[in-house]
Amino acid sequence: MIHERAGEPTRPSDLIDVDALMQDYYQLSPNPATAEERVRFGTGGHRGKASNRSFNQAHILAIVQAIVDWRNRMPQGAPKVLWLGKDTHALSDAAQKTALEVFAANHVRVKLQRDNGVTPTPAVSRAILVANREHGEFYSDGVIITPSHNPPTDGGIKYNQCDGGGADVDATSWIEQRANEYLADGNRQVKRVSYEEALAADTTELIDYVEDYVADLDSVIDMEAIRRANLKIGVNPLGGAALGYWRPIAERYGLNITVVNDKLDPTFSFMTIDHDGKIRMDCSSPWAMRPLVALKDQFDIAFANDPDSDRHGIVTRSIGLMDPNHYLAVAINYLLAHRPEWSTNLGIGKTLVSSSLIDRVARFHGRTLIETPVGFKWFVPGLFKGQICFGGEESAGASFLRKDGSAWTTDKDGPILCLLAAEILAKTGKDPGQWIQELTQKFGKSYYKRIEAPATLAIKDALKSMTPEQVQSSELAGEPIVARLTRAPGNNAAIGGLKVVTENGWFTARPSGTEMAYKIYGESFRSQEHLQRILSEAQEIVADALKNV
């Protein structure tokens, strides 16, 4: 059910008390015997709330020391440099300070944005890859302090390995276990110095991520084409880490960019209320994006990013805010026709909850589709090794190769997906909204929806262990079931849920990797009514599986 205030401006009562949040971060201690208060790595690292003792200073101390231990046990030796970044959530600043205290005490050479600045996730990923090309493949790795688009109350931390992407299951499982051992021991074995000592340490180097990232953009985007087209571009960074990047981009490449919101505010008071009544900086949400959509006729193309800038939201004159699945299909279709240096052997990566419209576009271009579980980390090896040219997920996260076919980032990059929308308009004369209309005429219209409900850890764990046998029916929404999947067809990795497929539709049920909720995704290529029937039957299947939880 959509909240009655969805899309409306915030009120004072909606806003967090930043001082109270900081007090909770520093003063509340988790109980390691309580599952909800332990370190748990999901698809985007460890996330939680200081107020419920799931993201506190104790967690960061334990996690960062565990990351140090993981680096020290690498067969080739610990990386020489760690790139550190944070987004604009209030807890991110506190957590980065705590992290630096541990890294400095362990003599880890850290590079972080000068002037206590913020850094987009893709800037960290790109920095890792560029440094390793120059100094060796195991030279550097990174840590990013971010809960992505989650509400202002939340905090998050993730580890990116030497391939530039989010850590794999082996790494996160080991780090999680080690961190919880530290927590259980009261963090007595964690090494730490004061923040002042850490900042002054000879292992701490203050740098500017912005200049190098901006200067390198024309290796992945046709910036000259955008300049020549003189497009009028609107940008809303949603109070995120990309804010300090858009004006340098405009200045370097001569682009006509208007930043419509230049506010940095840890309460995110400038946001509009999301679908569930919360403040959420989700650039794919029509409710969170309502202010930018209202300006669509003032610009040729407009876009937004979330707080760590790994997601994109595209607003076109033709149709307004684009559905993330639709834009992925448009982006893939365009890139496969406009990147002549890319090998035709390169595949397309998509998560199994992304639209099957992508499958049809990939098939049309003769490309192999690699369908993975949810989580961008599954695309990292393919992008890093040059096996896929594009990896994307339905939650508006994607990245793709440089024009020469080498890796740009192996984590999601919101700004390049935004700039690609401008390139598409500049090079073809049609905005992505017009292109999706052509693609749906060619490949069929997709009806897609995601629903969610609150979930305890027990419910989430039960969903992770669902089996194909729990689907007793031979039909879904009147069509024969052709596949019951608990492992992804692209890499045989566990889905952590269940996908059921028919000729013209499918659903996937899985726990959220970022919030205390479970999600059901569904798609139909027949009708809205057919989609609703798929979702209804999916809920019955899930409810039956969870009845004893």
Side-chain angles (χ1 to χ4, degrees):
M1 180 179 295
I2 304 302
H3 194 274
E4 61 181 8
R5 290 181 52 220
E8 294 183 6
T10 61
R11 299 172 182 170
S13 59
D14 298 318
L15 307 183
I16 61 169
D17 182 332
V18 176
D19 290 339
L21 187 65
M22 292 301 100
Q23 188 172 12
D24 287 345
Y25 173 78
Y26 287 109
Q27 295 187 5
L28 296 183
S29 298
N31 179 357
T34 302
E36 289 82 359
E37 298 178 21
R38 292 166 61 84
V39 173
R40 292 175 65 93
F41 274 79
T43 54
H46 172 79
R47 297 184 185 178
K49 301 179 188 296
S51 59
N52 65 12
R53 304 174 192 264
S54 57
F55 192 91
N56 306 92
Q57 181 171 242
H59 294 98
I60 302 303
L61 291 170
I63 291 169
V64 175
Q65 185 65 58
I67 290 172
V68 171
D69 296 347
W70 171 262
R71 297 171 88 246
N72 288 337
R73 69 190 294 273
M74 291 182 180
Q76 67 279 352
K80 300 295 188 293
V81 169
L82 183 137
W83 302 84
L84 181 61
K86 67 173 181 180
D87 76 357
T88 53
H89 280 78
L91 287 174
S92 296
D93 181 62
Q96 181 175 270
K97 289 181 169 66
T98 303
L100 189 63
E101 292 169 3
V102 178
F103 284 133
N106 285 276
H107 308 292
V108 175
R109 184 181 170 196
V110 172
K111 295 191 178 190
L112 72 160
Q113 179 65 34
R114 67 191 184 197
D115 303 320
N116 197 31
V118 294
T119 305
T121 284
V124 173
S125 178
R126 180 201 155 276
I128 294 169
L129 293 176
V130 170
N132 292 358
R133 286 194 192 102
E134 182 177 352
H135 299 287
E137 61 180 319
F138 300 112
Y139 175 75
S140 68
D141 54 359
V143 166
I144 308 161
I145 315 290
T146 174
S148 190
H149 62 294
N150 280 24
T153 52
D154 291 17
I157 179 171
K158 62 179 182 176
Y159 173 55
N160 281 31
Q161 294 178 287
C162 297
D163 55 16
D168 60 25
V169 175
D170 288 344
T172 57
S173 297
W174 193 94
I175 293 167
E176 177 183 297
Q177 180 177 335
R178 185 66 159 229
N180 283 318
E181 290 171 359
Y182 282 123
L183 275 184
D185 190 44
N187 283 332
R188 289 183 299 175
Q189 303 302 313
V190 173
K191 297 179 181 178
R192 182 186 184 190
V193 297
S194 71
Y195 179 64
E196 291 72 26
E197 286 181 85
L199 205 57
D202 56 9
T203 52
T204 299
E205 182 179 355
L206 303 180
I207 63 166
D208 183 20
Y209 280 97
V210 181
E211 184 177 356
D212 287 347
Y213 179 90
V214 171
D216 204 14
L217 280 170
D218 60 358
S219 72
V220 69
I221 296 290
D222 192 339
M223 302 299 287
E224 176 61 17
I226 301 173
R227 186 195 65 78
R228 288 197 307 266
N230 194 30
L231 300 177
K232 192 173 183 182
I233 300 169
V235 179
N236 187 344
L238 300 184
L243 174 60
Y245 285 64
W246 286 112
R247 288 199 175 99
I249 289 171
E251 291 167 3
R252 182 178 183 90
Y253 296 103
L255 305 186
N256 183 10
I257 293 177
T258 299
V259 177
V260 302
N261 170 25
D262 62 359
K263 297 181 178 66
L264 280 178
D265 171 12
T267 71
F268 295 90
S269 59
F270 47 77
M271 290 298 301
T272 46
I273 299 298
D274 204 5
H275 67 96
D276 56 358
K278 296 181 180 180
I279 298 174
R280 187 180 287 104
M281 294 65 69
D282 183 354
C283 50
S284 66
S285 163
W287 299 278
M289 288 284 282
R290 183 167 287 181
L292 186 59
V293 174
L295 302 176
K296 73 179 183 68
D297 293 333
Q298 298 181 23
F299 302 103
D300 297 310
I301 194 82
F303 30 75
N305 300 119
D306 65 332
D308 74 317
S309 310
D310 69 345
R311 301 189 185 212
H312 57 271
I314 310 300
V315 177
T316 67
R317 270 189 175 175
S318 58
I319 64 171
L321 179 64
M322 290 202 69
D323 178 282
N325 278 302
H326 289 171
Y327 181 59
L328 291 182
V330 169
I332 292 165
N333 184 66
Y334 172 83
L335 287 167
L336 293 180
H338 291 82
R339 292 296 186 268
E341 293 185 38
W342 285 4
S343 167
T344 56
N345 293 324
L346 293 171
I348 299 294
K350 74 153 212 179
T351 53
L352 51 76
V353 297
S354 301
S355 173
S356 293
L357 181 62
I358 295 169
D359 306 41
R360 299 181 181 195
V361 170
R363 194 178 307 120
F364 173 79
H365 287 277
R367 298 303 181 104
T368 300
L369 184 80
I370 300 171
E371 190 173 30
T372 72
V374 172
F376 199 82
K377 63 186 177 183
W378 300 109
F379 303 132
V380 173
L383 289 167
F384 183 70
K385 297 175 183 177
Q387 297 168 338
I388 62 173
C389 55
F390 187 100
E393 52 187 13
E394 54 75 38
S395 56
S399 190
F400 51 91
L401 300 181
R402 296 170 184 263
K403 289 183 280 189
D404 67 4
S406 62
W408 164 255
T409 62
T410 47
D411 212 328
K412 296 173 285 190
D413 190 320
I416 68 164
L417 269 296
C418 292
L419 290 167
L420 181 66
E423 179 187 329
I424 291 170
L425 177 55
K427 295 287 285 288
T428 70
K430 300 175 185 176
D431 70 33
Q434 293 168 302
W435 273 107
I436 193 58
Q437 292 169 342
E438 291 195 12
L439 291 184
T440 53
Q441 287 178 1
K442 181 183 292 187
F443 300 118
K445 186 174 181 179
S446 159
Y447 301 86
Y448 180 101
K449 189 175 183 179
R450 186 191 77 188
I451 58 177
E452 59 183 70
T456 62
L457 286 179
I459 288 175
K460 293 175 73 170
D461 288 342
L463 277 168
K464 284 182 181 179
S465 61
M466 287 182 73
T467 64
E469 292 71 29
Q470 288 177 270
V471 182
Q472 299 295 316
S473 176
S474 61
E475 291 188 350
L476 175 66
E479 291 191 316
I481 292 172
V482 298
R484 300 172 179 83
L485 304 172
T486 54
R487 306 193 77 83
N491 61 0
N492 199 39
I495 292 171
L498 175 75
K499 183 171 185 177
V500 176
V501 185
T502 68
E503 181 180 357
N504 292 296
W506 57 267
F507 82 82
T508 298
R510 58 174 296 273
S512 171
T514 60
E515 299 188 58
M516 295 304 292
Y518 73 86
K519 303 177 182 181
I520 297 177
Y521 308 75
E523 183 174 34
S524 168
F525 278 88
R526 291 177 59 180
S527 67
Q528 188 66 41
E529 293 73 23
H530 186 236
L531 171 62
Q532 288 304 123
R533 194 174 165 192
I534 288 173
L535 291 172
S536 177
E537 293 183 19
Q539 290 177 79
E540 293 175 7
I541 291 170
V542 172
D544 186 60
L546 299 177
K547 63 185 178 183
N548 296 320
V549 176

